[in-house]
């Protein structure tokens, strides 16, 4: 079993929809949680970073962490075609090594 | 642009060969991380350097090695290349410490023929 599980999708939504992306993890030592966006053949771009349970909002993006359930989510409001990309959840313990989910491929169509 | 640079962008080589990938971290960052991204394994941590010293190792093959130089740039050396080593190789950097976000470079695409 992988330490981090992420539904690979693909996920296809109409423009303006609310998108929900999720990851579960098994290692209770994970303390730092991130969401990256990766466009095709590009490097991952950090979207959200959090280290506590609860919600963190940044513009159209909300990251949610539930440590008791070992579950993290990323919500994208008012999705745009430019949001079409692969979304990767990542997490680390105090050692700083990132463990990534497999990535969810998102397509937002006009 | 994350501020992390990687060269070359693409590398095509043959099995059994050796290649060197280069990474320059963001200004002020002391820590460099190397990751491998393949279709079947996803993004996997290889190795971390902090201020010139190896800090952590992941599932890095013995044929792979890395180092960080006094100017903080890092090189990843891949030797005795196999077809399965074809992948995207990313480096990331931060100030050091797990509480600091890692910023990724554009990657080097390695193709082993």
């Amino acid at each position: 079993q992988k330490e981090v599980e992420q539904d690979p999708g693909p996920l296809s939504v109409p423009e303006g929809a609310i998108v929900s992306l999720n990851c579960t993890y098994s290692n209770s030592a994970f303390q730092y949680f991130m969401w990256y966006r990766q466009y095709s053949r590009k490097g991952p771009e950090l979207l959200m970073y959090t280290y506590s349970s609860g919600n963190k909002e940044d513009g159209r993006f909300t990251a949610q962490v539930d440590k008791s359930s070992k579950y993290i989510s990323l919500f994208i409001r008012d999705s745009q075609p430019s949001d079409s990309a692969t979304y990767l959840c990542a997490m680390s313990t105090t050692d700083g090594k990132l463990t990534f989910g497999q990535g969810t491929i998102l397509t937002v169509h006009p | 642009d994350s501020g992390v640079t990687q060269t070359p962008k693409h590398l095509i080589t043959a099995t059994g060969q050796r290649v060197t990938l280069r990474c320059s971290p963001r200004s002020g960052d002391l820590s460099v991380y190397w990751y491998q991204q393949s279709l079947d394994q996803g993004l996997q941590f290889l190795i971390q350097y902090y201020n010139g010293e190896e800090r952590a190792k992941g599932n890095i093959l013995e044929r792979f090695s890395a180092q960080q130089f006094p100017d903080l740039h890092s090189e990843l050396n891949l030797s005795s290349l196999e077809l399965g080593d074809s992948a995207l190789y990313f480096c990331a950097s931060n100030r050091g410490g797990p509480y600091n976000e890692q910023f990724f470079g554009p990657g080097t695409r390695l193709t082993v023929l």
Side-chain angles (χ1 to χ4, degrees):
Chain A
Q1 183 191 2
K2 293 188 175 183
E3 280 190 293
V4 180
E5 298 279 359
Q6 182 177 6
D7 186 343
L11 194 57
S12 181
V13 301
E15 183 175 354
I18 296 175
V19 176
S20 172
L21 304 166
N22 311 295
C23 288
T24 58
Y25 61 95
S26 58
N27 187 351
S28 57
F30 285 139
Q31 294 187 29
Y32 305 94
F33 304 92
M34 287 134 274
W35 285 95
Y36 284 85
R37 176 174 63 194
Q38 186 176 24
Y39 292 112
S40 182
R41 296 174 178 262
K42 302 289 187 184
E45 172 194 358
L46 183 65
L47 284 177
M48 300 288 284
Y49 176 90
T50 183
Y51 49 84
S52 58
S53 282
N55 293 351
K56 181 177 180 180
E57 191 173 316
D58 184 1
R60 296 185 297 111
F61 300 93
T62 299
Q64 192 174 77
V65 173
D66 182 346
K67 289 187 179 182
S68 61
S69 301
K70 297 190 182 68
Y71 188 88
I72 69 171
S73 299
L74 178 71
F75 298 95
I76 307 174
R77 289 183 299 281
D78 187 25
S79 56
Q80 303 295 310
S82 58
D83 294 328
S84 299
T86 297
Y87 289 80
L88 297 150
C89 64
M91 44 200 83
S92 73
T93 65
T94 53
D95 63 11
K97 300 183 292 185
L98 293 182
T99 301
F100 284 87
Q102 279 293 101
T104 300
I105 300 170
L106 171 67
T107 301
V108 181
H109 50 87
Chain B
D1 185 356
S2 67
V4 179
T5 60
Q6 288 186 250
T7 56
K9 285 187 180 178
H10 304 279
L11 205 47
I12 301 174
T13 188
T15 54
Q17 295 299 304
R18 173 189 167 95
V19 296
T20 297
L21 313 182
R22 182 188 170 106
C23 168
S24 292
R26 293 186 318 159
S27 177
D29 285 356
L30 298 177
S31 203
V32 170
Y33 305 77
W34 285 97
Y35 293 86
Q36 179 192 58
Q37 186 174 38
S38 60
L39 279 174
D40 55 343
Q41 296 293 326
L43 254 174
Q44 292 211 314
F45 169 75
L46 294 177
I47 197 164
Q48 178 202 358
Y49 277 81
Y50 177 80
N51 204 19
E53 294 192 3
E54 182 184 303
R55 176 67 66 89
K57 257 185 176 179
N59 295 325
I60 187 167
L61 299 171
E62 284 193 15
R63 300 183 287 107
F64 295 2
S65 65
Q67 59 185 127
Q68 187 178 27
F69 294 86
D71 66 352
L72 300 177
H73 91 272
S74 178
E75 292 181 356
L76 179 67
N77 301 296
L78 315 177
S79 61
S80 303
L81 285 167
E82 302 175 359
L83 296 177
D85 297 327
S86 296
L88 269 167
Y89 291 84
F90 290 104
C91 78
S93 74
N94 68 6
R95 299 282 190 263
Y99 40 82
N100 291 310
E101 303 95 309
Q102 293 181 28
F103 295 89
F104 280 74
T108 293
R109 179 172 294 277
L110 174 66
T111 303
V112 182
L113 301 174

